[in-house]
Amino acid sequence: MRVFSAWIVLALAAFTAAAPTTHTVKIKETVNVPRGWTKRDEAPRDLTVDLRIALPQSNFPLLEQHLWEVSDPFNERYGAHLSQEEVNELIAPHPESVDLVNSWLAEHGLSGADIARSPASDWVKVRVPVGLAEEMLDAKYHVYEHSTGDTLVRTTSYSLPEHLHAHIELIQPTTLFSRFRASKATLHFDQAAQTSSTNTDAPAISVPSASGGTVDASCNTTITVTCLKELYNAVGYTPLVNSGNQVACTGYLDQFANLDDLQLFFADQVPAAVNSSFKLISINGGQNNQSEPGDEANLDTQFLFGITHPIPATFFTTAGSPPFIPDVLTPTDSNEPYLDWLDFILNTPNPPQTISTSYADDEQTVPPSFAQRVCQGFATLGAKGVSLTFSSGDGGVGDGDPDPATQECFTNDGRNKTEFVPEFPPSCPFVTAVGGTIHVPETAVDFSGGGFSNFFSRPSYQAAAVPGFLSTLVPGTYAGLFNPNGRGIPDVAAQADNFRIFFGGSPILIGGTSAASPTFAGFVSLLNDARIRAGKSPLGFLNPLIYSIGANAGLTGAFNDVTTGNNPGCGTPGFNATTGWDPVTGFGTPNFGVLKDIVLALP
């Protein structure tokens, strides 16, 4: 009896000692492995991962309210963007969340110098070995290999103490299998590209909305900066170099912008820009290796900075790219460069006013919690006065694969249901998604990504435009293949094929909505130049203005409505371009001259 009693006393003592750090654990997030990924070996326990912990932004609804007010051209606060300090105050987590997360980290031996925080403390980053991550998250990490050979270290499920669920929105890398690829549909060396970029023999093409009413005939087969300025009515407009306006594009996945190629491009198409360049900003050790020119990076920098010269330009190069090889030569799983860029730009007090990105992935490969939080980051940038453009994708209504023969249009939720596949981040309602056109006069290019988000509901600015398009569909069209209540994609469009760039010292033709995003962003930057010169604020988040213009019959001509073409995918013809907004070309392509008059008339 005494022995039994002594055992009870010892057991109770042990339980009491463990009680302060014993919590009820509950699953936080579970995903199915996206199609194309195969589980391989268990992840090495000593491999280090950067766990990023998102704390709830306590006043984000108020920040979102500010965003709508400063972006609505009919609101008296239009253009009154928030400062970095005001933004940080609104997105700061509740002190209770900070304290509880700190306590949880301390229970696992992490404190002080082990922890990195964003200025608003809404993100916490800790570098830990996989073994500790598995203990903290009650998870099991494995190496997953994609059919392309890319590899990631991920888990399909993780858990947290139940009392932390309201204080942690998400933790990554865990369930994010996104591959974040460039939107390139075509890349080919072409005999026409080896000759001069202009052809004066054929008669000019009549385009009433263009500068002077005509576009050079060569633009029907080869797109240059001159073609775009003619087509979009910007010939003769020269921006200032010192107005405070800035423009930028992003580079990932070892896509490097070659300086010699840039000079060849300038000599060929923008002689006034010869000997000028861009500012290089390295994030997380990003490089710009001049011996490895990137076709995507060359396209983005050459056309965006060619259109906007002499506006000060920036190329963000962010390190981290697949494949990950789990051995001693690769001690850290660094497959999430996009988070590094977003963290950097969110905490930059005066970022460029216009930023173009030509990378995306299938929305369904991104956990909804991650997509929502990233989208909130874009809203934060908009509230600060930044215009963000994203390529809408190159798979039509299908996944990001521009080859219809290899597209896979099935859900990743275990049902394997056939559905159209929107792209993220273009599906975020706080960015401007740019689709593609081709030829002169313009028609929708067949790879132009478009459709409707399965994550984000229709934003208020689309309340008239999207139902207007849906009402034109024959009842039952593509029933069950898309979400008719989702955010519609794209918002606008621009030329997207046969772009003449220089790559490795030679001219080539390249295409994809990767070309459309920097093109549209270039003209947005010119509009910002006009406003800033007039003593006004930059445009910031564009979509409320775009849709207000689209809904106003008196502003006809601000966008060149593209009414022909379609975006096939998933074994279907996709949607048709039509009068007004459509999920192929949005409201169409920009008419800079008309848009300039509109934005200069705004407060």
Side-chain angles (χ1 to χ4, degrees):
M1 188 66 176
R2 289 176 181 169
V3 173
F4 182 69
S5 298
W7 179 86
I8 291 177
V9 170
L10 289 172
L12 287 174
F15 177 80
T16 301
T21 57
T22 299
H23 307 290
T24 301
V25 174
K26 180 180 178 182
I27 291 176
K28 177 67 174 177
E29 190 167 45
T30 300
V31 300
N32 291 291
V33 179
R35 193 176 308 277
W37 290 97
T38 302
K39 183 195 291 186
R40 298 303 186 194
D41 300 330
E42 292 184 1
R45 289 181 58 80
D46 58 352
L47 171 74
T48 57
V49 292
D50 290 329
L51 286 184
R52 299 170 182 270
I53 305 166
L55 280 62
Q57 298 172 329
S58 56
N59 285 314
F60 180 78
L62 182 56
L63 181 141
E64 187 175 1
Q65 178 184 333
H66 281 294
L67 173 66
W68 293 123
E69 291 176 356
V70 302
S71 306
D72 178 0
F74 298 106
N75 192 290
E76 61 182 7
R77 292 190 60 215
Y78 180 74
H81 301 118
L82 304 183
S83 68
Q84 182 73 38
E85 293 74 20
E86 290 170 326
V87 162
N88 285 348
E89 184 177 345
L90 289 169
I91 64 175
H94 193 279
E96 182 185 9
S97 298
V98 176
D99 291 342
L100 288 172
V101 171
N102 285 346
S103 296
W104 173 63
L105 292 173
E107 289 172 8
H108 292 280
L110 300 168
S111 62
D114 302 320
I115 303 172
R117 305 178 192 278
S118 65
S121 295
D122 57 327
W123 281 97
V124 174
K125 184 168 72 172
V126 291
R127 175 166 290 188
V128 298
V130 162
L132 180 54
E134 291 179 335
E135 176 187 322
M136 294 170 65
L137 305 177
D138 192 26
K140 188 62 183 174
Y141 280 81
H142 286 82
V143 176
Y144 288 85
E145 183 177 2
H146 193 262
S147 56
T148 60
D150 295 347
T151 54
L152 294 172
V153 170
R154 294 293 185 269
T155 180
T156 56
S157 177
Y158 69 96
S159 300
L160 291 170
E162 192 167 9
H163 74 284
L164 288 179
H165 277 231
H167 302 281
I168 293 178
E169 287 189 346
L170 62 97
I171 298 179
Q172 293 293 349
T174 48
T175 56
L176 176 64
F177 284 82
S178 173
R179 294 179 53 237
F180 202 57
R181 55 185 175 268
S183 297
K184 291 179 296 183
T186 65
L187 171 63
H188 54 274
F189 291 85
D190 189 284
Q191 187 61 41
Q194 305 298 322
T195 61
S196 172
S197 61
T198 59
N199 178 4
T200 57
D201 296 335
I205 305 168
S206 175
V207 180
S209 61
S211 294
T214 62
V215 175
D216 192 275
S218 65
C219 301
N220 218 355
T221 55
T222 303
I223 294 295
T224 64
V225 169
T226 298
C227 288
L228 295 171
K229 287 193 172 183
E230 287 181 358
L231 184 59
Y232 298 145
N233 192 21
V235 171
Y237 185 85
T238 302
L240 296 179
V241 68
N242 57 358
S243 68
N245 191 24
Q246 301 177 65
V247 65
C249 60
T250 60
Y252 304 95
L253 310 179
D254 293 336
Q255 277 286 327
F256 306 130
N258 187 269
L259 300 177
D260 289 340
D261 286 339
L262 180 67
Q263 294 306 314
L264 290 172
F265 176 84
F266 283 159
D268 182 62
Q269 298 188 32
V270 193
V274 170
N275 295 323
S276 68
S277 189
F278 51 80
K279 178 169 67 173
L280 182 74
I281 293 184
S282 169
I283 299 171
N284 197 32
Q287 302 296 310
N288 195 33
N289 189 336
Q290 293 301 289
S291 66
E292 298 179 14
D295 50 7
E296 175 65 56
N298 276 10
L299 167 63
D300 293 344
T301 53
Q302 289 173 21
F303 268 88
L304 179 57
F305 304 154
I307 291 170
T308 59
H309 177 76
I311 296 171
T314 297
F315 177 59
F316 294 105
T317 175
T318 306
S321 65
F324 161 73
I325 304 172
D327 60 22
V328 294
L329 297 179
T330 311
T332 303
D333 180 17
S334 57
N335 296 115
E336 297 181 87
Y338 187 64
L339 280 177
D340 289 319
W341 179 81
L342 187 57
D343 179 62
F344 176 88
I345 200 68
L346 282 172
N347 297 300
T348 299
N350 296 297
Q353 293 91 337
T354 310
I355 304 175
S356 172
T357 297
S358 296
Y359 301 77
D361 201 0
D362 302 341
E363 186 182 65
Q364 65 176 355
T365 68
V366 181
S369 62
F370 178 83
Q372 181 63 45
R373 185 55 182 256
V374 168
C375 198
Q376 288 178 201
F378 296 143
T380 302
L381 288 171
K384 290 170 60 177
V386 178
S387 300
L388 298 171
T389 67
F390 278 83
S391 304
S392 68
D394 289 345
V397 294
D399 64 19
D401 188 342
D403 184 355
T406 54
Q407 281 186 353
E408 293 185 336
C409 302
F410 302 98
T411 60
N412 281 328
D413 55 8
R415 296 177 299 153
N416 288 328
K417 180 180 179 292
T418 302
E419 278 187 355
F420 293 162
V421 185
E423 297 284 287
F424 179 82
S427 64
C428 170
F430 299 124
V431 306
T432 299
V434 187
T437 64
I438 192 171
H439 301 317
V440 182
E442 293 181 275
T443 186
V445 70
D446 60 4
F447 53 72
S448 182
F452 300 86
S453 173
N454 291 312
F455 285 179
F456 301 100
S457 60
R458 182 184 306 143
S460 58
Y461 57 75
Q462 290 189 326
V466 171
F469 169 81
L470 294 174
S471 69
T472 68
L473 298 178
V474 175
T477 299
Y478 300 145
L481 293 181
F482 72 97
N483 173 22
N485 298 311
R487 182 270 205 265
I489 312 161
D491 303 298
V492 290
Q495 285 279 322
D497 206 2
N498 298 320
F499 275 54
R500 177 182 168 93
I501 70 167
F502 280 77
F503 178 66
S506 299
I508 65 169
L509 298 183
I510 189 172
T513 53
S514 278
S517 180
T519 294
F520 191 86
F523 290 98
V524 171
S525 187
L526 296 184
L527 293 173
N528 275 335
D529 174 81
R531 279 185 59 84
I532 292 171
R533 289 165 72 165
K536 300 174 183 285
S537 64
L539 293 170
F541 176 40
L542 297 169
N543 292 5
L545 174 62
I546 290 171
Y547 284 80
S548 294
I549 292 172
N552 191 325
L555 299 180
T556 301
F559 293 102
N560 308 310
D561 196 2
V562 180
T563 59
T564 59
N566 59 301
N567 57 351
C570 301
T572 75
F575 296 108
N576 291 320
T578 188
T579 302
W581 182 89
D582 57 68
V584 189
T585 62
F587 276 113
T589 60
N591 183 320
F592 172 78
V594 176
L595 285 169
K596 177 169 68 70
D597 291 341
I598 292 173
V599 301
L600 286 178
L602 294 173

